[in-house]
Amino acid sequence: MVGGGQLSRMTHQAAIALGQSLRVLATRPDESAALVVPDVRIGDHRDLDALQRLAEGATVVTFDHEHVPTEHLHALEKAGHRVAPGPAALVHAQDKLVLRRALQAADEPQPAWAEVSTVHEVVAFADGVGWPVVLKTPRGGYDGKGVFVARGPDEVAGLLEEHGTLLAEERVAMVRELSAQVARSPFGQVAVWPVVETVQVDGVCSEVLAPAPGLAEGRATAAQELAVRIADRLGVVGMLAVELFETAQGVLVNELAMRPHNSGHWTIEGARTSQFEQHLRAVLDYPLGDTAMTAPVVVMANVLGGAAAREDWTGPRLDERIHHLMAHWPDVKLHWYGKGQRPGRKLGHVTALGNDLGEVRTRAVAAARYLADGVVDDAFTFEHEH
């Protein structure tokens, strides 16, 4: 797996149960996966030699991010290495303009968009959809990075000068954000999970609610079918997360990720087969696993570095906070990524299961907030510890 982050770390955990050994290309020995995977190669994902050393003797090469140069992946395939997903598919998750063109050719629902490289082109686009418009760098953006909201022409020139050609999109009047995940094998077997709602804070996923509350059955099925069509059309092998905007009229495709995705972390405890195990099954061409939920409601909350990640933090240390969390809510599952702490960084996640969305969500959010900020919400008391 190219990449040594938390997605690689959790994929390694799934590989153990399948009797598989994961080799990881990490940039540093202290990255999340490099701390736990025995077979770690240190190198840069933009270095073809490092990629070739990673691939040597491996059954398949896969990814925990999309940032590998597409031409390097073609070179790996030409050298006889199996890459999943292949570069012809992965480029749609790497380059937003390539994705928009493909969706347009397939007549799939998406926001109005245009490729722009001058202020005049942005203004002409805004004349059709209205200000503000969303401007995105075609490559390299994630977690809100590389995404800009321009409220008028005077905010455009500097962005174009800094980034060159951009993708302009209408600012969608959305109800909420959804995610539809599908796994696809090399010969076209597919498996889908329930559509989930993702709650974003400053462009970063904060919570995932499974299944998406109040989502009409017909709309949920349509979103799943849309994800399957995209996976089949692009020839995806492995996991595909289709990030969606829900509007009053239906759903629109925002972006794709061809790997395990933050919106699927809930599946570790919340589904019969996690996205990490399923990704391995798919890229190894094993039969895919059951995606049924293990509880009526599952909520995943990210632990984003907060007050407790600051150098001047004087409250309870991490081990003490984990101790308190486990004592109060023994059913809440914690996944800590072993990453250096800094404000805003994804440090881990918690998952809660149950029958009532309000109650389950309260537990998950309060637990994540306590780990991040040391804040004791009304929902989080320690009276049951003693």
Side-chain angles (χ1 to χ4, degrees):
M1 181 167 268
V2 178
Q6 63 263 24
L7 300 179
S8 188
R9 182 185 179 108
M10 289 182 276
T11 302
H12 166 64
Q13 292 174 287
I16 293 171
L18 297 181
Q20 299 294 322
S21 298
L22 192 70
R23 177 186 297 160
V24 168
L25 180 66
T27 57
R28 301 183 316 276
D30 63 346
E31 283 192 289
S32 181
L35 294 172
V36 297
V37 175
D39 191 355
V40 178
R41 307 295 168 91
I42 303 301
D44 194 301
H45 60 269
R46 296 163 296 187
D47 180 355
L48 180 56
D49 288 339
L51 293 169
Q52 289 172 332
R53 289 193 296 271
L54 177 78
E56 185 177 352
T59 304
V60 61
V61 177
T62 190
F63 313 93
D64 91 338
H65 62 73
E66 288 92 0
H67 306 312
V68 181
T70 311
E71 62 271 19
H72 287 359
L73 301 181
H74 283 294
L76 289 180
E77 284 195 330
K78 187 175 181 180
H81 301 295
R82 194 160 76 82
V83 178
L90 187 62
V91 69
H92 296 85
Q94 295 176 315
D95 192 310
K96 296 177 180 65
L97 284 169
V98 172
L99 169 63
R100 290 288 173 234
R101 296 186 195 110
L103 292 174
Q104 182 173 293
D107 197 26
E108 296 291 9
Q110 62 178 326
W113 66 278
E115 181 178 350
V116 295
S117 55
T118 68
V119 175
H120 175 74
E121 289 174 336
V122 178
V123 171
F125 176 73
D127 285 344
V129 302
W131 296 97
V133 298
V134 179
L135 298 174
K136 299 180 178 180
T137 56
R139 285 182 176 251
Y142 65 97
D143 285 348
K145 299 177 179 66
V147 179
F148 314 95
V149 177
R151 293 168 177 79
D154 57 330
E155 298 182 16
V156 173
L159 292 172
L160 291 171
E161 183 177 348
E162 181 179 357
H163 300 286
T165 298
L166 294 172
L167 166 66
E169 293 181 357
E170 66 172 318
R171 193 175 191 186
V172 175
M174 65 176 177
V175 176
R176 55 181 169 175
E177 294 190 53
L178 304 173
S179 178
Q181 282 192 293
V182 58
R184 182 177 181 276
S185 75
F187 292 98
Q189 184 190 9
V190 294
V192 296
W193 287 261
V195 178
V196 301
E197 177 179 347
T198 62
V199 180
Q200 312 290 321
V201 177
D202 297 328
V204 179
C205 180
S206 175
E207 303 168 51
V208 175
L209 316 179
L215 184 63
E217 182 178 351
R219 186 165 289 186
T221 300
Q224 292 173 315
E225 291 174 344
L226 171 62
V228 171
R229 286 198 306 272
I230 292 173
D232 281 338
R233 183 178 181 88
L234 301 184
V236 174
V237 174
M239 287 296 306
L240 171 68
V242 182
E243 299 179 48
L244 300 164
F245 296 137
E246 184 183 12
T247 71
Q249 292 73 40
V251 296
L252 302 174
V253 177
N254 176 24
E255 295 179 359
L256 305 182
M258 293 183 194
R259 51 172 172 80
H261 189 256
N262 201 172
S263 65
H265 290 354
W266 67 273
T267 62
I268 298 174
E269 288 85 24
R272 296 294 180 189
T273 307
S274 78
Q275 64 165 345
F276 300 99
E277 178 183 337
Q278 200 81 295
H279 184 71
L280 290 171
R281 286 186 181 221
V283 301
L284 293 168
D285 198 20
Y286 289 175
L288 301 182
D290 183 2
T291 56
M293 293 183 64
T294 59
V297 173
V298 183
V299 175
M300 186 283 301
N302 278 325
V303 181
L304 304 174
R310 297 199 308 254
E311 291 184 2
D312 61 353
W313 172 253
T314 58
R317 311 312 297 174
L318 175 61
D319 185 67
E320 185 179 354
R321 298 197 305 279
I322 291 175
H323 178 97
H324 288 160
L325 171 68
M326 290 181 172
H328 184 67
W329 283 320
D331 59 316
V332 171
K333 302 299 290 187
L334 168 64
H335 295 264
W336 199 254
Y337 304 152
K339 297 160 69 173
Q341 297 191 47
R342 66 169 184 264
R345 192 178 198 189
K346 289 180 185 175
L347 302 176
H349 73 266
V350 296
T351 306
L353 294 79
N355 296 298
D356 179 80
L357 175 62
E359 185 272 333
V360 174
R361 188 176 184 183
T362 295
R363 280 190 290 135
V365 171
R369 189 177 181 209
Y370 178 68
L371 288 172
D373 294 317
V375 172
V376 179
D377 286 355
D378 292 340
F380 195 159
T381 62
F382 300 111
E383 62 186 43
H384 300 300
E385 290 183 37
H386 306 294

